[in-house]
Amino acid sequence: MYTFTFYDIEYLLIIAVFAVLLICSLSKRTVALQGEFTIDINMSQAMKGMACVMILMGHWGQRRFVTEQPLGVSWAIQHFLATIALVWFMFFSGYGLSLKTMKDNENIIFIWLRRIKKVYLPLLFCCIICTIGYAFLPSVYSLDEFEQLWVSKDIYYLHHLSLDSLNNIWPHMLGWKDWYVLCIIIFYSLFYLSLLLERYTRFNQTTYLFILMCLYYVWAFYYFGRPEGHFFRYCWIFFVSHVIAKWKTYRNKWVPLLMSFMLCTTLLMESKIMLFGSFMAISLLLGGAIINRHFVVKGQSIMLLGGMSYFFYLLHARICYTLIVYAGINSVIAWLLLTWIMSYIIWKLYNKLVLFL
């Protein structure tokens, strides 16, 4: 018989709180949105806010459960929530880019560079802040213990400086090991390359993006291998989000539909758990679009979290998890609250710095 644990109670409490926040933040539209699939900026921001919390919850299980959990709340959270959240993040990345219209006289390379800076500079800022924070934390664990605890080994390296330790620190300080940001940069680059190709040839962007995504998937599959599958397993959703955003502009809708189906077949290379998690993510996106057609999200708390969701993601494991481990706190809610507070502070600090510069 399955027994509820303390973690199960925390998980369910977090889900209940955010469900209430979302419901209370909905305001009835006077006129329903038109279109087959529509998610406005408010709903996308709210869902990104929930997605970053889902990633944190999924990562908690990854770090805290040494052995496989029995079927139940903790098992489901650990196996499905991070996948759902990442599918959402990748969807909104491609969807938001594809909704923007480019003027013929706009410099695509300049816009690409500006977009890459917008993605990378927050990562660099957070990594530098975290590295400074690591220097003030005592090195109380061995290298093996740091790894077992899922705490950054840079703390150890900073207190045992050498040429080898510096070689380990500086890539992390530059954010090199963050697969999600690197993957987004690659996807954005392929997106703007497809725009550039469309401008100077007779084929449309969707065709080029499909070809580029297929080529990248094959290359990444053999270069990174299955253990690093996160670098290529989300090509399908980025492309599908582009097709959905551009759906009204297609004359022959069967062609982008077929392309989407072909890329979606890459999911068959994943585990059944990943496949089901992706199906759940798409179902919830459709549910969000249906709700969004009749309601608009106006809740300040959930919108605030969505606005700083990128910083939430960048900081939750880098520094906030480290701090609760050092403090001996064994609570996912405590991790969530600490990440929310620190993300807000760093987010505001970064925005002020950008305005100053």
Side-chain angles (χ1 to χ4, degrees):
M1 182 177 178
Y2 182 77
T3 304
F4 274 96
T5 67
F6 175 70
Y7 295 145
D8 293 338
I9 296 171
E10 284 198 303
Y11 285 146
L12 292 174
L13 183 59
I14 292 171
I15 292 171
V17 167
F18 276 90
V20 170
L21 281 176
L22 179 61
I23 293 171
C24 292
S25 70
L26 296 176
S27 178
K28 180 74 174 179
R29 296 182 186 274
T30 53
V31 179
L33 292 178
Q34 302 301 312
E36 295 87 352
F37 182 97
T38 304
I39 292 184
D40 65 14
I41 190 169
N42 283 35
M43 178 60 82
S44 66
Q45 189 162 314
M47 293 184 76
K48 283 189 286 187
M50 291 185 290
C52 67
V53 174
M54 291 160 65
I55 288 178
L56 181 144
M57 292 167 68
H59 283 174
W60 179 264
Q62 183 186 43
R63 286 159 168 75
R64 291 289 166 163
F65 302 142
V66 179
T67 58
E68 183 69 11
Q69 296 298 296
L71 293 178
V73 176
S74 291
W75 184 90
I77 295 294
Q78 182 180 353
H79 286 84
F80 294 126
L81 247 62
T83 296
I84 294 171
L86 286 168
V87 168
W88 285 7
F89 272 130
M90 292 295 181
F91 175 87
F92 289 122
S93 295
Y95 187 70
L97 277 182
S98 301
L99 284 176
K100 299 181 186 298
T101 54
M102 291 280 296
K103 297 179 180 178
D104 292 336
N105 60 346
E106 285 187 290
N107 188 319
I108 294 176
I109 295 177
F110 174 78
I111 295 173
W112 166 71
L113 287 172
R114 187 173 62 188
R115 176 67 62 173
I116 298 304
K117 284 169 58 179
K118 192 175 180 180
V119 173
Y120 177 67
L121 289 182
L123 170 65
L124 179 62
F125 184 73
C126 289
C127 286
I128 292 173
I129 292 292
C130 289
T131 303
I132 294 172
Y134 293 158
F136 287 95
L137 291 173
S139 180
V140 294
Y141 305 111
S142 66
L143 276 175
D144 289 340
E145 288 173 328
F146 273 114
E147 187 169 354
Q148 291 170 7
L149 291 168
W150 292 79
V151 174
S152 176
K153 290 183 284 188
D154 288 349
I155 301 171
Y156 179 90
Y157 295 136
L158 283 166
H159 289 81
H160 300 81
L161 283 177
S162 67
L163 185 60
D164 288 338
S165 63
L166 286 174
N167 287 335
N168 283 292
I169 293 170
W170 73 260
H172 297 162
M173 192 165 63
L174 296 178
W176 175 246
K177 292 295 183 178
D178 195 303
W179 76 265
Y180 171 76
V181 177
L182 180 57
C183 196
I184 284 292
I185 288 174
I186 292 170
F187 285 2
Y188 282 2
S189 298
L190 295 178
F191 177 87
Y192 285 108
L193 178 58
S194 66
L195 267 179
L196 199 63
L197 290 170
E198 180 189 45
R199 177 170 290 184
Y200 296 108
T201 63
R202 62 189 181 89
F203 294 107
N204 62 32
Q205 182 197 4
T206 299
T207 302
Y208 283 120
L209 185 60
F210 171 73
I211 294 170
L212 291 170
M213 279 293 182
C214 288
L215 291 173
Y216 170 73
Y217 180 89
V218 173
W219 172 80
F221 184 87
Y222 288 102
Y223 180 79
F224 293 109
R226 287 187 181 276
E228 300 291 333
H230 37 257
F231 277 103
F232 53 80
R233 65 168 53 107
Y234 298 106
C235 291
W236 68 276
I237 186 61
F238 188 88
F239 181 78
V240 167
S241 68
H242 165 79
V243 170
I244 291 174
K246 294 289 186 181
W247 187 251
K248 292 180 181 179
T249 67
Y250 298 131
R251 292 182 180 178
N252 184 355
K253 299 185 187 300
W254 284 105
V255 175
L257 199 61
L258 179 61
M259 292 176 180
S260 298
F261 174 78
M262 291 176 66
L263 267 175
C264 284
T265 58
T266 59
L267 278 171
L268 298 176
M269 303 295 291
E270 304 297 335
S271 66
K272 292 180 181 179
I273 289 176
M274 183 71 67
L275 184 61
F276 186 69
S278 300
F279 174 77
M280 290 173 64
I282 292 297
S283 300
L284 290 169
L285 279 170
L286 290 172
I290 293 170
I291 293 172
N292 198 205
R293 180 174 294 180
H294 302 283
F295 296 90
V296 60
V297 180
K298 291 187 176 180
Q300 291 185 352
S301 297
I302 204 162
M303 291 295 290
L304 175 64
L305 181 59
M308 64 181 190
S309 59
Y310 188 38
F311 284 84
F312 189 105
Y313 165 79
L314 293 173
L315 293 168
H316 80 283
R318 275 187 172 84
I319 188 66
C320 298
Y321 185 78
T322 298
L323 291 176
I324 68 164
V325 169
Y326 266 74
I329 299 173
N330 190 21
S331 167
V332 64
I333 291 179
W335 186 19
L336 171 61
L337 293 175
L338 178 62
T339 306
W340 189 314
I341 294 168
M342 289 203 66
S343 301
Y344 179 79
I345 293 171
I346 302 300
W347 174 55
K348 286 292 187 180
L349 182 62
Y350 177 80
N351 288 336
K352 287 185 179 295
L353 182 63
V354 169
L355 288 174
F356 177 74
L357 296 176

Short mmCIF file of all heavy atoms in Angstrom, two decimals, residues 258-316:
data_model
loop_
_atom_site.label_atom_id
_atom_site.label_comp_id
_atom_site.label_asym_id
_atom_site.label_seq_id
_atom_site.Cartn_x
_atom_site.Cartn_y
_atom_site.Cartn_z
N LEU A 258 2.80 17.90 -42.45
CA LEU A 258 3.61 16.71 -42.69
C LEU A 258 5.01 16.87 -42.08
O LEU A 258 5.54 15.93 -41.48
CB LEU A 258 3.71 16.44 -44.20
CG LEU A 258 4.57 15.24 -44.62
CD1 LEU A 258 3.99 13.95 -44.03
CD2 LEU A 258 4.66 15.15 -46.14
N MET A 259 5.57 18.06 -42.23
CA MET A 259 6.89 18.33 -41.64
C MET A 259 6.85 18.17 -40.12
O MET A 259 7.76 17.58 -39.52
CB MET A 259 7.35 19.75 -42.00
CG MET A 259 7.67 19.96 -43.45
SD MET A 259 8.10 21.70 -43.77
CE MET A 259 8.43 21.65 -45.54
N SER A 260 5.79 18.69 -39.52
CA SER A 260 5.64 18.59 -38.07
C SER A 260 5.54 17.13 -37.64
O SER A 260 6.16 16.71 -36.66
CB SER A 260 4.39 19.35 -37.61
OG SER A 260 4.49 20.72 -37.91
N PHE A 261 4.75 16.37 -38.39
CA PHE A 261 4.59 14.95 -38.07
C PHE A 261 5.93 14.23 -38.17
O PHE A 261 6.26 13.40 -37.31
CB PHE A 261 3.58 14.31 -39.02
CG PHE A 261 3.46 12.83 -38.86
CD1 PHE A 261 2.73 12.29 -37.81
CD2 PHE A 261 4.08 11.96 -39.76
CE1 PHE A 261 2.64 10.91 -37.64
CE2 PHE A 261 3.98 10.58 -39.60
CZ PHE A 261 3.26 10.06 -38.55
N MET A 262 6.71 14.53 -39.19
CA MET A 262 8.00 13.87 -39.38
C MET A 262 8.95 14.16 -38.22
O MET A 262 9.64 13.27 -37.73
CB MET A 262 8.62 14.30 -40.71
CG MET A 262 7.88 13.77 -41.93
SD MET A 262 8.56 14.40 -43.50
CE MET A 262 10.18 13.61 -43.48
N LEU A 263 8.98 15.41 -37.76
CA LEU A 263 9.84 15.73 -36.63
C LEU A 263 9.31 15.14 -35.32
O LEU A 263 10.09 14.77 -34.44
CB LEU A 263 10.00 17.26 -36.49
CG LEU A 263 11.21 17.86 -37.20
CD1 LEU A 263 11.20 19.38 -37.09
CD2 LEU A 263 12.51 17.31 -36.63
N CYS A 264 8.00 15.03 -35.22
CA CYS A 264 7.42 14.44 -34.01
C CYS A 264 7.75 12.96 -33.88
O CYS A 264 7.72 12.41 -32.77
CB CYS A 264 5.90 14.63 -34.00
SG CYS A 264 5.38 16.32 -33.58
N THR A 265 8.07 12.31 -35.00
CA THR A 265 8.44 10.89 -34.93
C THR A 265 9.75 10.69 -34.18
O THR A 265 10.04 9.57 -33.74
CB THR A 265 8.58 10.28 -36.34
OG1 THR A 265 9.57 11.01 -37.08
CG2 THR A 265 7.25 10.32 -37.09
N THR A 266 10.53 11.75 -33.99
CA THR A 266 11.77 11.62 -33.21
C THR A 266 11.46 11.27 -31.75
O THR A 266 12.32 10.77 -31.04
CB THR A 266 12.60 12.91 -33.27
OG1 THR A 266 11.83 14.01 -32.75
CG2 THR A 266 13.01 13.23 -34.71
N LEU A 267 10.23 11.55 -31.32
CA LEU A 267 9.82 11.19 -29.96
C LEU A 267 9.83 9.68 -29.75
O LEU A 267 9.95 9.20 -28.62
CB LEU A 267 8.43 11.74 -29.66
CG LEU A 267 8.34 13.21 -29.22
CD1 LEU A 267 6.89 13.65 -29.18
CD2 LEU A 267 9.00 13.41 -27.88
N LEU A 268 9.71 8.93 -30.83
CA LEU A 268 9.71 7.48 -30.73
C LEU A 268 11.07 6.94 -30.29
O LEU A 268 11.18 5.79 -29.86
CB LEU A 268 9.32 6.84 -32.07
CG LEU A 268 7.91 7.20 -32.59
CD1 LEU A 268 7.67 6.59 -33.95
CD2 LEU A 268 6.85 6.75 -31.59
N MET A 269 12.09 7.78 -30.39
CA MET A 269 13.43 7.40 -29.93
C MET A 269 13.58 7.58 -28.43
O MET A 269 14.57 7.15 -27.84
CB MET A 269 14.49 8.25 -30.65
CG MET A 269 14.45 8.16 -32.17
SD MET A 269 14.85 6.52 -32.77
CE MET A 269 16.59 6.43 -32.35
N GLU A 270 12.60 8.21 -27.80
CA GLU A 270 12.67 8.48 -26.37
C GLU A 270 11.96 7.38 -25.57
O GLU A 270 11.27 6.54 -26.13
CB GLU A 270 12.04 9.84 -26.06
CG GLU A 270 12.66 11.01 -26.82
CD GLU A 270 14.13 11.22 -26.50
OE1 GLU A 270 14.57 10.84 -25.39
OE2 GLU A 270 14.84 11.78 -27.35
N SER A 271 12.10 7.45 -24.27
CA SER A 271 11.45 6.46 -23.40
C SER A 271 9.94 6.68 -23.37
O SER A 271 9.44 7.75 -23.76
CB SER A 271 12.01 6.58 -21.98
OG SER A 271 11.65 7.84 -21.40
N LYS A 272 9.21 5.68 -22.91
CA LYS A 272 7.76 5.80 -22.80
C LYS A 272 7.38 6.91 -21.82
O LYS A 272 6.37 7.61 -22.01
CB LYS A 272 7.16 4.47 -22.35
CG LYS A 272 7.26 3.36 -23.39
CD LYS A 272 6.66 2.07 -22.88
CE LYS A 272 6.78 0.96 -23.93
NZ LYS A 272 6.21 -0.33 -23.45
N ILE A 273 8.18 7.07 -20.77
CA ILE A 273 7.91 8.12 -19.78
C ILE A 273 8.07 9.50 -20.43
O ILE A 273 7.23 10.39 -20.24
CB ILE A 273 8.84 7.97 -18.57
CG1 ILE A 273 8.45 6.75 -17.75
CG2 ILE A 273 8.82 9.23 -17.69
CD1 ILE A 273 9.36 6.46 -16.58
N MET A 274 9.14 9.68 -21.22
CA MET A 274 9.35 10.95 -21.92
C MET A 274 8.24 11.20 -22.94
O MET A 274 7.75 12.33 -23.09
CB MET A 274 10.70 10.93 -22.62
CG MET A 274 11.09 12.22 -23.32
SD MET A 274 11.48 13.56 -22.19
CE MET A 274 12.98 12.91 -21.43
N LEU A 275 7.84 10.15 -23.63
CA LEU A 275 6.78 10.27 -24.63
C LEU A 275 5.46 10.68 -23.97
O LEU A 275 4.76 11.58 -24.46
CB LEU A 275 6.61 8.93 -25.36
CG LEU A 275 5.61 8.88 -26.51
CD1 LEU A 275 6.02 9.85 -27.62
CD2 LEU A 275 5.52 7.47 -27.07
N PHE A 276 5.12 10.05 -22.85
CA PHE A 276 3.88 10.38 -22.16
C PHE A 276 3.95 11.79 -21.57
O PHE A 276 2.96 12.53 -21.59
CB PHE A 276 3.61 9.36 -21.06
CG PHE A 276 2.28 9.54 -20.39
CD1 PHE A 276 1.10 9.28 -21.07
CD2 PHE A 276 2.19 9.98 -19.08
CE1 PHE A 276 -0.13 9.46 -20.46
CE2 PHE A 276 0.97 10.16 -18.45
CZ PHE A 276 -0.20 9.89 -19.15
N GLY A 277 5.14 12.17 -21.03
CA GLY A 277 5.30 13.52 -20.50
C GLY A 277 5.11 14.58 -21.57
O GLY A 277 4.50 15.63 -21.33
N SER A 278 5.62 14.31 -22.78
CA SER A 278 5.45 15.24 -23.89
C SER A 278 3.99 15.35 -24.30
O SER A 278 3.49 16.44 -24.62
CB SER A 278 6.30 14.79 -25.09
OG SER A 278 7.67 14.73 -24.74
N PHE A 279 3.30 14.21 -24.31
CA PHE A 279 1.86 14.20 -24.62
C PHE A 279 1.08 15.03 -23.60
O PHE A 279 0.19 15.81 -23.95
CB PHE A 279 1.34 12.77 -24.66
CG PHE A 279 -0.14 12.66 -24.85
CD1 PHE A 279 -0.71 12.85 -26.11
CD2 PHE A 279 -0.97 12.38 -23.78
CE1 PHE A 279 -2.09 12.77 -26.28
CE2 PHE A 279 -2.35 12.29 -23.94
CZ PHE A 279 -2.91 12.48 -25.20
N MET A 280 1.44 14.88 -22.32
CA MET A 280 0.79 15.66 -21.27
C MET A 280 1.05 17.15 -21.46
O MET A 280 0.15 17.99 -21.27
CB MET A 280 1.31 15.21 -19.90
CG MET A 280 0.85 13.82 -19.47
SD MET A 280 1.66 13.28 -17.94
CE MET A 280 1.04 14.49 -16.78
N ALA A 281 2.28 17.50 -21.84
CA ALA A 281 2.65 18.91 -22.04
C ALA A 281 1.81 19.54 -23.14
O ALA A 281 1.29 20.66 -22.99
CB ALA A 281 4.13 19.02 -22.36
N ILE A 282 1.66 18.81 -24.27
CA ILE A 282 0.86 19.32 -25.39
C ILE A 282 -0.61 19.43 -24.99
O ILE A 282 -1.29 20.42 -25.33
CB ILE A 282 1.01 18.39 -26.62
CG1 ILE A 282 2.43 18.49 -27.18
CG2 ILE A 282 0.00 18.76 -27.69
CD1 ILE A 282 2.79 19.86 -27.70
N SER A 283 -1.11 18.45 -24.27
CA SER A 283 -2.51 18.48 -23.82
C SER A 283 -2.77 19.68 -22.93
O SER A 283 -3.79 20.36 -23.06
CB SER A 283 -2.84 17.19 -23.07
OG SER A 283 -2.66 16.06 -23.90
N LEU A 284 -1.83 19.97 -22.02
CA LEU A 284 -1.98 21.12 -21.12
C LEU A 284 -1.85 22.44 -21.88
O LEU A 284 -2.50 23.43 -21.53
CB LEU A 284 -0.94 21.04 -20.01
CG LEU A 284 -1.18 19.91 -18.99
CD1 LEU A 284 0.03 19.74 -18.08
CD2 LEU A 284 -2.43 20.19 -18.16
N LEU A 285 -1.01 22.47 -22.93
CA LEU A 285 -0.92 23.66 -23.77
C LEU A 285 -2.25 23.92 -24.48
O LEU A 285 -2.70 25.07 -24.56
CB LEU A 285 0.20 23.51 -24.79
CG LEU A 285 1.63 23.79 -24.32
CD1 LEU A 285 2.64 23.35 -25.37
CD2 LEU A 285 1.82 25.27 -24.00
N LEU A 286 -2.84 22.86 -24.98
CA LEU A 286 -4.16 23.00 -25.63
C LEU A 286 -5.20 23.46 -24.62
O LEU A 286 -6.05 24.31 -24.93
CB LEU A 286 -4.58 21.66 -26.24
CG LEU A 286 -3.79 21.20 -27.47
CD1 LEU A 286 -4.17 19.78 -27.86
CD2 LEU A 286 -3.99 22.15 -28.64
N GLY A 287 -5.12 22.92 -23.40
CA GLY A 287 -6.03 23.36 -22.35
C GLY A 287 -5.83 24.83 -22.02
O GLY A 287 -6.80 25.58 -21.83
N GLY A 288 -4.56 25.26 -21.98
CA GLY A 288 -4.26 26.67 -21.72
C GLY A 288 -4.81 27.57 -22.81
O GLY A 288 -5.31 28.67 -22.55
N ALA A 289 -4.73 27.11 -24.08
CA ALA A 289 -5.26 27.90 -25.20
C ALA A 289 -6.78 28.02 -25.12
O ALA A 289 -7.35 29.08 -25.42
CB ALA A 289 -4.85 27.25 -26.52
N ILE A 290 -7.44 26.94 -24.72
CA ILE A 290 -8.91 26.97 -24.59
C ILE A 290 -9.32 27.94 -23.48
O ILE A 290 -10.24 28.75 -23.66
CB ILE A 290 -9.44 25.56 -24.30
CG1 ILE A 290 -9.22 24.66 -25.52
CG2 ILE A 290 -10.93 25.61 -23.92
CD1 ILE A 290 -9.50 23.20 -25.26
N ILE A 291 -8.64 27.87 -22.35
CA ILE A 291 -8.93 28.80 -21.25
C ILE A 291 -8.65 30.23 -21.68
O ILE A 291 -9.43 31.15 -21.41
CB ILE A 291 -8.09 28.43 -20.01
CG1 ILE A 291 -8.52 27.08 -19.45
CG2 ILE A 291 -8.21 29.52 -18.93
CD1 ILE A 291 -7.63 26.55 -18.35
N ASN A 292 -7.52 30.41 -22.39
CA ASN A 292 -7.10 31.75 -22.80
C ASN A 292 -8.08 32.38 -23.79
O ASN A 292 -8.15 33.61 -23.89
CB ASN A 292 -5.71 31.67 -23.42
CG ASN A 292 -5.00 33.01 -23.49
OD1 ASN A 292 -4.13 33.22 -24.30
ND2 ASN A 292 -5.36 33.93 -22.61
N ARG A 293 -8.80 31.56 -24.51
CA ARG A 293 -9.77 32.10 -25.46
C ARG A 293 -10.89 32.87 -24.75
O ARG A 293 -11.40 33.85 -25.28
CB ARG A 293 -10.36 30.95 -26.29
CG ARG A 293 -11.39 31.40 -27.32
CD ARG A 293 -11.82 30.25 -28.19
NE ARG A 293 -10.71 29.77 -29.02
CZ ARG A 293 -10.80 28.77 -29.89
NH1 ARG A 293 -11.94 28.13 -30.03
NH2 ARG A 293 -9.76 28.40 -30.60
N HIS A 294 -11.22 32.45 -23.55
CA HIS A 294 -12.34 33.06 -22.83
C HIS A 294 -11.92 33.88 -21.61
O HIS A 294 -12.72 34.64 -21.08
CB HIS A 294 -13.32 31.97 -22.39
CG HIS A 294 -13.86 31.16 -23.53
ND1 HIS A 294 -14.85 31.61 -24.37
CD2 HIS A 294 -13.52 29.92 -23.99
CE1 HIS A 294 -15.12 30.70 -25.29
NE2 HIS A 294 -14.33 29.65 -25.08
N PHE A 295 -10.66 33.70 -21.18
CA PHE A 295 -10.19 34.40 -19.99
C PHE A 295 -8.82 35.00 -20.24
O PHE A 295 -8.04 34.50 -21.05
CB PHE A 295 -10.10 33.43 -18.79
CG PHE A 295 -11.41 32.85 -18.36
CD1 PHE A 295 -11.87 31.67 -18.90
CD2 PHE A 295 -12.18 33.50 -17.40
CE1 PHE A 295 -13.08 31.12 -18.50
CE2 PHE A 295 -13.39 32.97 -16.99
CZ PHE A 295 -13.85 31.78 -17.54
N VAL A 296 -8.51 36.06 -19.51
CA VAL A 296 -7.19 36.68 -19.55
C VAL A 296 -6.58 36.58 -18.15
O VAL A 296 -7.28 36.71 -17.15
CB VAL A 296 -7.26 38.16 -20.00
CG1 VAL A 296 -8.11 39.00 -19.06
CG2 VAL A 296 -5.87 38.74 -20.14
N VAL A 297 -5.28 36.31 -18.10
CA VAL A 297 -4.58 36.19 -16.82
C VAL A 297 -4.15 37.57 -16.36
O VAL A 297 -3.48 38.29 -17.08
CB VAL A 297 -3.34 35.27 -16.95
CG1 VAL A 297 -2.63 35.15 -15.60
CG2 VAL A 297 -3.75 33.89 -17.45
N LYS A 298 -4.54 37.93 -15.12
CA LYS A 298 -4.19 39.25 -14.59
C LYS A 298 -3.56 39.21 -13.20
O LYS A 298 -3.27 40.25 -12.62
CB LYS A 298 -5.44 40.14 -14.55
CG LYS A 298 -5.95 40.55 -15.93
CD LYS A 298 -7.07 41.55 -15.82
CE LYS A 298 -7.52 42.04 -17.20
NZ LYS A 298 -8.62 43.04 -17.10
N GLY A 299 -3.37 38.03 -12.65
CA GLY A 299 -2.83 37.91 -11.30
C GLY A 299 -1.39 38.40 -11.21
O GLY A 299 -0.54 37.97 -12.00
N GLN A 300 -1.11 39.27 -10.25
CA GLN A 300 0.22 39.87 -10.14
C GLN A 300 1.28 38.85 -9.73
O GLN A 300 2.40 38.87 -10.26
CB GLN A 300 0.19 41.02 -9.14
CG GLN A 300 -0.61 42.23 -9.62
CD GLN A 300 -0.51 43.39 -8.66
OE1 GLN A 300 0.03 43.27 -7.56
NE2 GLN A 300 -1.05 44.53 -9.06
N SER A 301 0.95 37.97 -8.81
CA SER A 301 1.94 37.01 -8.30
C SER A 301 2.42 36.06 -9.39
O SER A 301 3.63 35.87 -9.59
CB SER A 301 1.36 36.20 -7.14
OG SER A 301 1.04 37.04 -6.06
N ILE A 302 1.48 35.49 -10.11
CA ILE A 302 1.84 34.51 -11.12
C ILE A 302 2.48 35.18 -12.33
O ILE A 302 3.36 34.62 -13.00
CB ILE A 302 0.61 33.67 -11.53
CG1 ILE A 302 1.07 32.31 -12.10
CG2 ILE A 302 -0.30 34.40 -12.48
CD1 ILE A 302 -0.03 31.29 -12.11
N MET A 303 2.09 36.42 -12.63
CA MET A 303 2.71 37.16 -13.72
C MET A 303 4.12 37.59 -13.35
O MET A 303 5.03 37.60 -14.20
CB MET A 303 1.86 38.39 -14.06
CG MET A 303 0.52 38.05 -14.70
SD MET A 303 0.71 37.28 -16.32
CE MET A 303 1.30 38.69 -17.27
N LEU A 304 4.32 37.96 -12.09
CA LEU A 304 5.65 38.32 -11.61
C LEU A 304 6.60 37.14 -11.73
O LEU A 304 7.73 37.28 -12.20
CB LEU A 304 5.57 38.80 -10.16
CG LEU A 304 6.91 39.11 -9.47
CD1 LEU A 304 7.61 40.28 -10.14
CD2 LEU A 304 6.69 39.39 -7.99
N LEU A 305 6.13 35.97 -11.32
CA LEU A 305 6.96 34.78 -11.41
C LEU A 305 7.30 34.47 -12.86
O LEU A 305 8.44 34.09 -13.18
CB LEU A 305 6.24 33.59 -10.77
CG LEU A 305 7.00 32.26 -10.77
CD1 LEU A 305 8.33 32.40 -10.04
CD2 LEU A 305 6.15 31.16 -10.13
N GLY A 306 6.33 34.64 -13.75
CA GLY A 306 6.58 34.42 -15.16
C GLY A 306 7.60 35.39 -15.73
O GLY A 306 8.44 35.02 -16.55
N GLY A 307 7.54 36.63 -15.27
CA GLY A 307 8.49 37.64 -15.74
C GLY A 307 9.92 37.35 -15.36
O GLY A 307 10.85 37.67 -16.10
N MET A 308 10.11 36.74 -14.20
CA MET A 308 11.47 36.44 -13.75
C MET A 308 11.78 34.94 -13.85
O MET A 308 12.74 34.46 -13.25
CB MET A 308 11.66 36.91 -12.31
CG MET A 308 10.80 36.19 -11.28
SD MET A 308 11.09 36.84 -9.62
CE MET A 308 10.21 35.63 -8.62
N SER A 309 10.99 34.21 -14.64
CA SER A 309 11.13 32.75 -14.72
C SER A 309 12.51 32.32 -15.21
O SER A 309 13.04 31.29 -14.78
CB SER A 309 10.05 32.16 -15.62
OG SER A 309 10.12 32.70 -16.93
N TYR A 310 13.10 33.10 -16.12
CA TYR A 310 14.42 32.75 -16.63
C TYR A 310 15.46 32.81 -15.52
O TYR A 310 16.30 31.91 -15.39
CB TYR A 310 14.79 33.69 -17.78
CG TYR A 310 16.05 33.30 -18.53
CD1 TYR A 310 16.35 31.98 -18.78
CD2 TYR A 310 16.93 34.28 -18.98
CE1 TYR A 310 17.50 31.63 -19.47
CE2 TYR A 310 18.08 33.93 -19.67
CZ TYR A 310 18.36 32.61 -19.92
OH TYR A 310 19.50 32.27 -20.60
N PHE A 311 15.39 33.84 -14.70
CA PHE A 311 16.32 33.96 -13.57
C PHE A 311 16.03 32.89 -12.53
O PHE A 311 16.95 32.38 -11.89
CB PHE A 311 16.24 35.36 -12.96
CG PHE A 311 16.92 36.40 -13.79
CD1 PHE A 311 16.26 37.01 -14.85
CD2 PHE A 311 18.22 36.78 -13.52
CE1 PHE A 311 16.90 37.97 -15.63
CE2 PHE A 311 18.87 37.73 -14.28
CZ PHE A 311 18.21 38.32 -15.35
N PHE A 312 14.77 32.55 -12.36
CA PHE A 312 14.39 31.46 -11.45
C PHE A 312 15.08 30.17 -11.89
O PHE A 312 15.67 29.46 -11.07
CB PHE A 312 12.87 31.30 -11.48
CG PHE A 312 12.32 30.37 -10.43
CD1 PHE A 312 11.69 30.87 -9.31
CD2 PHE A 312 12.42 28.99 -10.57
CE1 PHE A 312 11.16 30.02 -8.34
CE2 PHE A 312 11.91 28.13 -9.61
CZ PHE A 312 11.28 28.65 -8.49
N TYR A 313 14.99 29.89 -13.18
CA TYR A 313 15.64 28.69 -13.71
C TYR A 313 17.16 28.74 -13.52
O TYR A 313 17.78 27.75 -13.11
CB TYR A 313 15.31 28.52 -15.20
CG TYR A 313 16.23 27.54 -15.88
CD1 TYR A 313 16.03 26.17 -15.74
CD2 TYR A 313 17.32 27.98 -16.63
CE1 TYR A 313 16.89 25.26 -16.34
CE2 TYR A 313 18.18 27.07 -17.24
CZ TYR A 313 17.97 25.71 -17.08
OH TYR A 313 18.83 24.82 -17.67
N LEU A 314 17.77 29.87 -13.81
CA LEU A 314 19.22 30.00 -13.75
C LEU A 314 19.77 29.88 -12.33
O LEU A 314 20.91 29.42 -12.14
CB LEU A 314 19.67 31.34 -14.35
CG LEU A 314 19.44 31.52 -15.85
CD1 LEU A 314 19.77 32.96 -16.26
CD2 LEU A 314 20.27 30.53 -16.66
N LEU A 315 18.98 30.25 -11.35
CA LEU A 315 19.47 30.32 -9.97
C LEU A 315 19.03 29.15 -9.09
O LEU A 315 19.67 28.89 -8.06
CB LEU A 315 19.02 31.63 -9.32
CG LEU A 315 19.62 32.91 -9.90
CD1 LEU A 315 18.88 34.13 -9.37
CD2 LEU A 315 21.10 33.02 -9.57
N HIS A 316 17.97 28.45 -9.45
CA HIS A 316 17.38 27.49 -8.51
C HIS A 316 18.37 26.39 -8.13
O HIS A 316 18.44 25.99 -6.96
CB HIS A 316 16.09 26.90 -9.08
CG HIS A 316 16.28 25.80 -10.08
ND1 HIS A 316 16.66 26.03 -11.39
CD2 HIS A 316 16.15 24.46 -9.97
CE1 HIS A 316 16.75 24.89 -12.03
NE2 HIS A 316 16.45 23.90 -11.20
#
